[in-house]
Amino acid sequence: MRLRRTTAVTATAVGALALALALPAAPAGAATGPFTYVYQDSGGPHVGLLSDPPSRECLTLPEVAPEFIPPAHSPRNYTDSTATVFTGSDCTGEYFTLRPHGGHASERLKLRSVVFS
């Protein structure tokens, strides 16, 4: 069961990355490229996507904003900016930095918000 779920999440992440790379160029003041993460709901695991997110603006991940919902995990930063992920909403709590162009972390890293340099 775990292998099927991991395969489904990986396939979804690859699809989200391909879609994000096909989107139009980023507006000024935005990190260029996709940022993905995995979140869980009653339907199972899903891949969330931020495409060309704004820079220097805290973004709370909408799927995991409420504290009673499990946090997201497994972030992948394919943007051209450094991403700093936070354990709490509104860029609060502990944080971890992901390098641009492919920085990533495992499912052990929990997050609810992110800011791009």
Side-chain angles (χ1 to χ4, degrees):
M1 178 69 166
R2 178 153 170 77
L3 180 59
R4 265 192 277 152
R5 184 174 21 170
T6 302
T7 302
V9 169
T10 301
T12 305
V14 169
L17 178 59
L19 175 64
L21 293 175
L23 295 174
T32 303
F35 176 85
T36 64
Y37 51 93
V38 177
Y39 66 95
Q40 181 85 26
D41 68 11
S42 60
H46 303 281
V47 175
L49 169 69
L50 299 175
S51 181
D52 300 330
S55 296
R56 296 184 262 311
E57 180 180 320
C58 179
L59 302 172
T60 296
L61 306 177
E63 301 90 351
V64 297
E67 292 294 321
F68 62 87
I69 294 176
H73 59 84
S74 307
R76 302 208 178 281
N77 182 23
Y78 297 106
T79 72
D80 60 355
S81 298
T82 298
T84 303
V85 299
F86 294 84
T87 57
S89 297
D90 301 317
C91 296
T92 60
E94 296 182 35
Y95 62 92
F96 186 81
T97 303
L98 300 171
R99 64 182 169 76
H101 305 292
H104 61 278
S106 74
E107 64 185 45
R108 293 183 303 177
L109 180 63
K110 308 302 182 195
L111 66 145
R112 291 187 189 277
S113 56
V114 61
V115 66
F116 297 88
S117 62

